[in-house]
Amino acid sequence: MQSVIVNNLSKSYGKKKEIKAVKEISFEVSKGELFGIIGPDGAGKTSLFRMLTTLLLPDAGNAAVDGSDVVKNYKDIRKKVGYMPGRFSLYQDLSVEENLNFFATIFNTTVQHNYDLIKDIYVQIEPFKTRKAGKLSGGMKQKLALSCALIHRPVVLFLDEPTTGVDAVSRKEFWEMLKHLKQQGITILVSTPYMDEAGLCDRIGLMQQGKILSVGTPAEITGAFKETILGVKSNNMYQLLKDLNANDEVEDAYSFGEYHHTVMKPNFNKETLQQYLEQKGNKELVIQNTQPTVEDSFMQLMKQ
Amino acid sequence: MRTLRFLLQKEFRQIFRDKSILRVIFMMPAMQLLILPWAADYEVKNINLVVVDHDRSTYTQQLISKITASGYFRLDKYTASYKDAMHEIENDDADIILEIPASFEKDLVKESSANLFMAVNAINGAKAGLGASYLQSIIHDYNNGIRAQWIQLPRFNTETTVDVTYSNWFNPLMNYKFFMVPGILVMLVTMVGSFLAAMNIVKEKEIGTIEQINVTPVKKYHFILGKLIPFWILGLIILSIGLLIAYVAYGIIPAGSFFTIYVFAACYLLAVLGLGLLVSTYSNTQQQAMLFSFFLMMIFVLLSGLYTPISSMPQWAQYITKFNPVAYFIEVMRMVVLKGSSLSDISKNIFIVLGFAVVLNIWAVVSYRKRA
């Protein structure tokens, strides 16, 4: 059974609906899947999540979460989903414990009842349980928010940019927690602007300017990338990028970590490229074949 | 019901945790009620008077000492030049000039009539108007005194004179505090009821907690009641503190019953809470709510009849006061505290504020739905 079904969902803002945030999006998420919506800031991820969590009414299209329509049966959805907004939005003047108890009680349950689900996360913040939520560090706030979103044992969990502004270690820990939650059978939808997190999801949807460009497993998405990518580096990276983009055999070139990823046109010749670059005065040249990543796919899809 | 109980518990916990708000809630009525009634007094005192005396006679000395002995006037300058006196007015050191002509005593004795000139600094309207009339009545008194000295009045006055005596009903000593204190108390209850509630709701919007609540099964009416009930209770607590202060500090005991005041206040708070809810639905930040509240509060205070009687306002302003809930509460407070009115006397006001309550709350709930 599909846990989340989105069908031609659209949302526009502004008086004349001139700002189209989400444009006819369709995708499905299976039960127990960890689904990532990957896209840059302003792609429409938050609008999509807000519609799925019944906080925003769609202009057109429909969506169902765990079999309930987001417009007609919004009350049912509110009982069974957990939502963690991108911005910390718990009561800052209540303590960790009070926040957790409060959210447990308004869902008609108790912390004890679902303690096994949040135990791994909650033990990390338990030493600070009398501290006010506003006084916690960023990583701890996030753990508390996740605990509160999970306290009623939701069927589907929506996490809007949970790792934005969190340090690398905490990010890694956070993804570990998500994997663990997935084992409990909870469907998880997570949005993130970080491409490197895409590989940690079961399936991903690449989102850009209100549209889903592609949906699939990370392997499927990178597998769809047919062109060859070369990683090129030299002593003058800026000049190198200009030279690469000026070459006829190069489809696209962009900086990617320590190398410039260079997407080649079919029938290219590596030697010709090397000669061309040396001619242009690039020294300490390194050219190597590289496997495409999700980011490469994204760059390509974006330009189409 | 269970949900509502937890929402209320959370709300009270938050209110009692915010020490600065708590201080405002409990210190504000105490400070304002202890200080403002002494300052916001209609009686004009310390009117600075400049006397330009061209005569310098016994009579003028008598007149001046009578004026200064009244307690309302302070002799700022005694001079013989009008120019000097005008200078005082220009520097805002003096409020009234009293000019006594050179022939004052002579005229008074010979012709039985003399003229005085009064120039009033009208920059401060209330002070000028009241000062001038005080001065006139003192001079009038003085005039009568002289006449009594001179003429052996016949047993029956040959001249017809109308002498007016008066008594102040309901407030025999015309103690201003008796109508200022209940009025200020009304303001405080209004502020807590509407504006604190509005700010509280907007704060949830601003911090984003309202979103988190919205994705829970908490029903809208639960949320709204969870916000209104605490401030309804706080409003009544403020009223109780205020009435206690009114008794301890000013000895004001309502002539009517406390029950009448509380019944009205309970209805009134429903209306102002509705107003607060309405303000909160139209503002997205606490700043917006605050500015909007200030704007409303100014109108409420000035058009409430607290400082100036409503009946002396122009007709259009009187129409506006009909839509000012504060005006109804002030009227009720004065009726109950001074006159001892009962519930049946104020039933009209109760129905009007209940009408406000219904309209404002429905309006707020409808527009809240649209924006949610």
Side-chain angles (χ1 to χ4, degrees), chain A residues 220-234:
Chain A
E220 276 167 12
I221 289 192
T222 49
F225 198 96
K226 295 288 178 240
E227 289 79 2
T228 312
I229 293 186
L230 298 176
V232 188
K233 132 176 144 167
S234 83

Side-chain angles (χ1 to χ4, degrees), chain A residues 50 53 55 78-79 83 85 87-91 93-95 98 102-103 105-108 132, chain B residues 2-3 6-7 10 13-14 17 203-209 211-218:
Chain A
R50 282 167 55 90
T53 50
L55 288 171
R78 289 180 182 184
K79 283 187 194 129
Y83 175 47
R87 191 166 60 128
F88 182 71
S89 26
L90 298 178
Y91 291 98
D93 46 357
L94 294 183
S95 72
E98 284 164 346
F102 174 70
F103 282 99
T105 49
I106 58 174
F107 277 106
N108 252 321
K132 283 184 192 155
Chain B
R2 191 170 164 271
T3 314
F6 286 116
L7 282 171
K10 174 219 114 194
R13 196 173 267 161
Q14 284 184 300
R17 195 157 287 176
K203 188 180 166 196
E204 296 241 2
K205 265 198 209 176
E206 213 174 49
I207 297 182
T209 44
E211 295 257 286
Q212 197 80 64
I213 293 286
N214 278 346
V215 279
T216 68
V218 169

Side-chain angles (χ1 to χ4, degrees), chain A residues 11-291:
Chain A
K11 179 73 195 176
S12 306
Y13 297 111
K15 277 199 179 103
K16 290 172 194 150
K17 300 277 173 201
E18 69 276 17
I19 303 154
K20 295 192 167 56
V22 175
K23 300 173 194 160
E24 297 182 354
I25 280 183
S26 302
F27 65 90
E28 290 183 2
V29 182
S30 314
K31 208 164 166 51
E33 202 173 26
L34 175 54
F35 190 88
I37 302 276
I38 322 265
D41 293 342
K45 302 188 295 291
T46 300
S47 294
L48 175 65
F49 272 40
R50 282 167 55 90
M51 281 191 280
L52 293 178
T53 50
T54 75
L55 288 171
L56 202 61
L57 282 175
D59 293 337
N62 54 59
V65 176
D66 196 47
S68 311
D69 188 90
V70 289
V71 180
K72 282 183 227 123
N73 305 318
Y74 71 95
K75 280 184 184 159
D76 298 334
I77 294 183
R78 289 180 182 184
K79 283 187 194 129
K80 57 195 178 189
V81 304
Y83 175 47
M84 183 176 150
R87 191 166 60 128
F88 182 71
S89 26
L90 298 178
Y91 291 98
Q92 316 234 5
D93 46 357
L94 294 183
S95 72
V96 169
E97 209 176 13
E98 284 164 346
N99 265 302
L100 199 61
N101 276 321
F102 174 70
F103 282 99
T105 49
I106 58 174
F107 277 106
N108 252 321
T109 178
T110 56
V111 176
Q112 289 74 34
H113 193 251
N114 293 319
Y115 190 70
D116 60 303
L117 188 63
I118 59 159
K119 192 176 161 241
D120 292 341
I121 309 161
Y122 189 61
V123 285
Q124 300 177 49
I125 47 172
E126 208 164 16
F128 313 100
K129 65 182 179 185
T130 53
R131 195 181 285 188
K132 283 184 192 155
K135 299 259 191 295
L136 293 175
S137 71
M140 285 201 278
K141 272 184 183 165
Q142 187 204 33
K143 279 168 196 151
L144 176 61
L146 185 61
S147 303
C148 286
L150 282 170
I151 195 62
H152 59 293
R153 202 176 280 276
V155 186
V156 185
L157 184 62
F158 291 91
L159 306 168
D160 191 6
E161 301 204 7
T163 51
T164 301
V166 175
D167 69 68
V169 178
S170 295
R171 266 169 68 180
K172 201 156 172 277
E173 269 177 23
F174 195 81
W175 279 96
E176 289 298 321
M177 286 188 256
L178 293 190
K179 265 184 206 159
H180 181 77
L181 288 173
K182 202 181 76 121
Q183 282 158 16
Q184 309 257 344
I186 298 176
T187 310
I188 303 171
L189 263 81
V190 56
S191 77
T192 175
Y194 302 123
M195 302 287 167
D196 55 322
E197 289 179 346
L200 303 165
C201 302
D202 293 336
R203 282 202 309 143
I204 51 172
L206 295 180
M207 198 167 176
Q208 160 79 2
Q209 291 181 341
K211 278 188 185 143
I212 296 258
L213 304 173
S214 171
V215 180
T217 63
E220 276 167 12
I221 289 192
T222 49
F225 198 96
K226 295 288 178 240
E227 289 79 2
T228 312
I229 293 186
L230 298 176
V232 188
K233 132 176 144 167
S234 83
N235 64 339
N236 186 347
M237 294 299 274
Y238 177 66
Q239 183 60 39
L240 178 67
L241 188 62
K242 282 213 303 201
D243 294 339
L244 283 169
N245 272 317
N247 190 292
D248 287 338
E249 286 186 324
V250 173
E251 179 82 43
D252 192 13
Y254 42 85
S255 62
F256 193 102
E258 132 181 61
Y259 291 91
H260 286 319
H261 271 198
T262 313
V263 184
M264 302 307 295
K265 284 183 178 157
N267 313 320
F268 75 98
N269 190 322
K270 208 167 165 180
E271 276 74 48
T272 338
L273 182 72
Q274 179 145 16
Q275 277 165 15
Y276 160 79
L277 289 175
E278 275 165 359
Q279 216 169 30
K280 286 278 180 186
N282 290 290
K283 296 195 180 71
E284 298 162 39
L285 210 58
V286 180
I287 300 180
Q288 59 180 41
N289 280 330
T290 305
Q291 284 303 308

Side-chain angles (χ1 to χ4, degrees), chain B residues 93-259:
Chain B
D93 289 332
D95 302 303
I96 296 181
I97 302 175
L98 180 69
E99 192 177 22
I100 305 168
S103 55
F104 180 74
E105 194 182 42
K106 206 173 83 192
D107 288 353
L108 199 62
V109 173
K110 275 194 174 167
E111 325 267 329
S112 314
S113 88
N115 292 316
L116 287 172
F117 174 73
M118 208 193 287
V120 181
N121 177 2
I123 284 180
N124 184 341
K127 206 172 181 184
L130 279 169
S133 68
Y134 286 167
L135 193 54
Q136 257 166 4
S137 73
I138 292 169
I139 293 168
H140 182 250
D141 255 17
Y142 169 79
N143 187 16
N144 283 346
I146 296 176
R147 283 181 51 192
Q149 269 179 22
W150 288 351
I151 324 161
Q152 217 21 277
L153 285 172
R155 197 170 151 166
F156 295 105
N157 206 340
T158 46
E159 256 176 275
T160 359
T161 54
V162 179
D163 197 11
V164 183
T165 33
Y166 54 91
S167 70
N168 299 309
W169 272 94
F170 308 121
N171 188 359
L173 298 172
M174 270 296 262
N175 187 343
Y176 288 104
K177 279 149 205 111
F178 274 60
F179 53 87
M180 281 311 286
V181 171
I184 292 171
L185 190 49
V186 168
M187 292 298 157
L188 291 171
V189 170
T190 310
M191 273 165 69
V192 170
S194 64
F195 304 143
L196 268 184
M199 302 267 270
N200 187 292
I201 300 173
V202 174
K203 188 180 166 196
E204 296 241 2
K205 265 198 209 176
E206 213 174 49
I207 297 182
T209 44
I210 205 165
E211 295 257 286
Q212 197 80 64
I213 293 286
N214 278 346
V215 279
T216 68
V218 169
K219 293 189 179 64
K220 190 167 65 174
Y221 74 88
H222 278 150
F223 181 76
I224 291 176
L225 282 179
K227 286 289 173 197
L228 297 190
I229 293 172
F231 288 97
W232 187 78
I233 294 173
L234 271 183
L236 291 179
I237 292 175
I238 296 275
L239 181 69
S240 310
I241 296 176
L243 288 172
L244 187 71
I245 291 172
Y247 169 66
V248 174
Y250 304 103
I252 299 174
I253 302 168
S257 74
F258 281 107
F259 177 72

